[in-house]
Amino acid sequence: FLSYYKFNIMSAIFNFQSLLLVILLLICTCTYVRAQAPSLVDRNKTGVFGLIWKAARIGERLSPYVSLACIIMGVSLMRS
C-alpha cells in the first residue's frame, strides 16, 4: 500500500496538467498582488523575486489569454 501511495505522489510531479495549473495560479496571483501593492512587486526585478515581477507582467500584458486559459483549465478539472 505504501509503495502505491508513494508512486501516486511522485507521478503528480510529472503531470503536465498540474504543472500548467501551478503556472496559471502563479501568474494570476502575482498579477493580483501587483494590482494591490505595485511597489511591493516593482522593487524586485532581478533574482528569485524577479520571477514574481515577470509573472505579474505576463498577467498584465496577456490578460485575455490568461483568463481564457484559466476558464479552460477550470472546465477541464471539473470534467475529470
Side-chain angles (χ1 to χ4, degrees):
F1 173 73
L2 189 57
S3 63
Y4 178 73
Y5 181 70
K6 285 183 181 179
F7 178 73
N8 283 339
I9 290 174
M10 292 301 292
S11 66
I13 293 172
F14 302 108
N15 188 353
F16 185 67
Q17 185 176 6
S18 297
L19 178 67
L20 286 178
L21 179 64
V22 168
I23 291 171
L24 278 173
L25 289 174
L26 177 73
I27 290 171
C28 293
T29 303
C30 292
T31 305
Y32 177 77
V33 169
R34 188 172 188 280
Q36 298 300 317
S39 63
L40 184 68
V41 176
D42 287 342
R43 66 179 168 204
N44 297 318
K45 293 184 180 180
T46 60
V48 177
F49 292 111
L51 293 175
I52 296 172
W53 178 78
K54 289 175 188 175
R57 186 64 68 188
I58 290 170
E60 290 173 350
R61 293 187 179 177
L62 299 175
S63 60
Y65 300 110
V66 171
S67 62
L68 182 64
C70 287
I71 291 169
I72 291 170
M73 184 63 72
V75 170
S76 171
L77 288 173
M78 287 192 300
R79 291 184 66 196
S80 63

